[in-house]
Amino acid sequence: MPQERPRPGKTRPGGRTAATRRAVLDATSEILVESGFSHLDLAAVAERAGVGRTTVYRRWGSAAGLAEDLLEDMAETSLGRTRLGDVDRDLEECALLVRKTLADPRQGRLFRSLIAASVCSEETAEALHRFYAKRVGEWTPCVHEAVERGELPGEVSPERLVRTVSAPLYYQFLTTPVELTEEDAVEAAQQALALARAGLLNRPWTDEGPGV
Amino acid sequence: MPQERPRPGKTRPGGRTAATRRAVLDATSEILVESGFSHLDLAAVAERAGVGRTTVYRRWGSAAGLAEDLLEDMAETSLGRTRLGDVDRDLEECALLVRKTLADPRQGRLFRSLIAASVCSEETAEALHRFYAKRVGEWTPCVHEAVERGELPGEVSPERLVRTVSAPLYYQFLTTPVELTEEDAVEAAQQALALARAGLLNRPWTDEGPGV
């Protein structure tokens, strides 16, 4: 059945469809923040969005379909990277942005819920991985540029470096009760850069090629 | 009402109570592996464990109570650290143990489910944090001993160092589709040690004192 369903919200890029998709994704996001993926009920989303149930069932099909499309939307509208012309400052900005998102009560709960949802649904997991691949891919050019400027060794894996900035922040967020501070973010960037300069982040992130 | 309930399974440490607790926690673990926290239904646990529903409702009270007691049990029975007399080898073992747990299909799913459960339930989140604090606390003595042997600078924060070993492994496990390899584990330990030796892991992990 799923293959008969057009990609959520993609049928008409503007106008009524776009407004419907926005309302549905906003409702999805609110329910994920308030009560989590296990309460992401299509009827409740339809009611909150002021959209007919049939539309929501037909276009999104399941809670996983909603979470998947929300992640797609978040990837599309995600803030671009800074370009400060200095990799230390660029990656510090990257870390501060991750920290700001996770430490924000609303955004933090949304990310927790989406990560939890990715446990229950393979589709959501794949959408989550695409979302992070896109985020990481926005920041890797500043590593390439830093190599050109001689700020980092040419052997460094840009994707591994950018992911290494995020790792301690996500770990602290997901497995400890300790609040993420700006100091945590600044240190995460400094640590990742120290590893890169020591030649410890040279192994390519994955065999699957760019963008994975 | 919860305060009237004795701590799960703690009423009689041996005999029938211990056997009941074992059966209930095994059933809880199986359901978390197979279907996740949202399917952790007390009646289903009772049926699978061959224990009366009333017992499960009275002693564990909720899905969160079951997850909490499972984490308590996992902390009690968790494998101790190695003691190889060389911090590089000790922390490599620590990393390989984390990797082995997360890469094991059954254990990996259990951890994913418990981390997802901690999003839905504050009790489960606290039990998860206690579980990790205990795990980390098992490994910090090898950092203290390494400092005494002159293998690491005396300013290093043992808890931050041990957690830094785990961070990239949990990050990769929870936010990417990339399989965790032994090479990932070995590198995670090497990176954490390089940061410690560069004086970049000196800040105490938290103000909350030891064991947090």
Side-chain angles (χ1 to χ4, degrees), chain A residues 112 116 119 129 132 163 166-168 170-172 174-178 183-184 187 191 194-195 200-201 203 205, chain B residues 112 116 119 129 132 163 166-168 170-172 174-178 183-184 187 191 194-195 200-201 203 205:
Chain A
R112 269 189 222 279
V119 177
H129 300 153
Y132 283 118
R163 293 199 187 255
S166 289
Y170 272 88
Y171 171 77
Q172 182 171 332
L174 291 169
T175 75
T176 82
V178 183
E183 191 177 11
D184 291 322
E187 284 190 6
Q191 291 165 2
L195 293 172
L200 293 171
L201 299 180
R203 185 161 57 101
W205 171 254
Chain B
R112 267 188 224 277
V119 177
H129 300 152
Y132 283 117
R163 292 199 187 256
S166 289
Y170 271 89
Y171 171 78
Q172 184 171 331
L174 291 169
T175 74
T176 82
V178 183
E183 190 179 11
D184 290 323
E187 285 190 5
Q191 290 166 2
L195 292 173
L200 292 172
L201 300 180
R203 187 161 57 100
W205 170 254

Side-chain angles (χ1 to χ4, degrees), chain A residues 65-122:
Chain A
L66 285 167
E68 188 190 347
D69 195 36
L70 178 61
L71 279 159
E72 199 86 32
D73 177 64
M74 285 164 65
E76 283 160 18
T77 58
S78 118
L79 287 175
R81 69 179 178 103
T82 57
R83 207 171 168 148
L84 302 169
D86 168 338
V87 75
D88 292 68
R89 286 166 64 210
D90 278 336
L91 292 188
E92 186 177 302
E93 279 306 308
C94 173
L96 286 167
L97 192 64
V98 170
R99 179 261 157 194
K100 193 180 166 194
T101 303
L102 299 181
D104 176 80
R106 202 181 167 283
Q107 290 275 93
R109 287 187 64 85
L110 180 61
F111 273 85
R112 269 189 222 279
S113 291
L114 288 167
I115 292 167
S118 74
V119 177
C120 315
S121 146
E122 194 53 43

Side-chain angles (χ1 to χ4, degrees), chain B residues 17-97:
Chain B
T17 292
T20 300
R21 183 182 182 222
R22 186 72 274 135
V24 166
L25 295 186
D26 286 349
T28 299
S29 170
E30 283 165 22
I31 291 172
L32 286 173
V33 168
E34 289 163 20
S35 0
F37 186 67
S38 55
H39 291 86
L40 189 61
D41 176 69
L42 274 71
V45 167
E47 190 181 342
R48 192 182 286 230
V51 166
R53 284 189 190 198
T54 321
T55 305
V56 176
Y57 279 96
R58 199 181 58 235
R59 299 237 306 257
W60 284 273
S62 66
L66 285 166
E68 187 188 348
D69 196 35
L70 177 62
L71 279 159
E72 199 86 34
D73 177 64
M74 285 164 65
E76 283 160 17
T77 58
S78 116
L79 287 176
R81 70 181 177 101
T82 57
R83 206 171 168 148
L84 303 169
D86 169 337
V87 74
D88 291 68
R89 286 166 63 212
D90 278 336
L91 292 189
E92 186 177 302
E93 278 306 309
C94 173
L96 286 167
L97 192 65

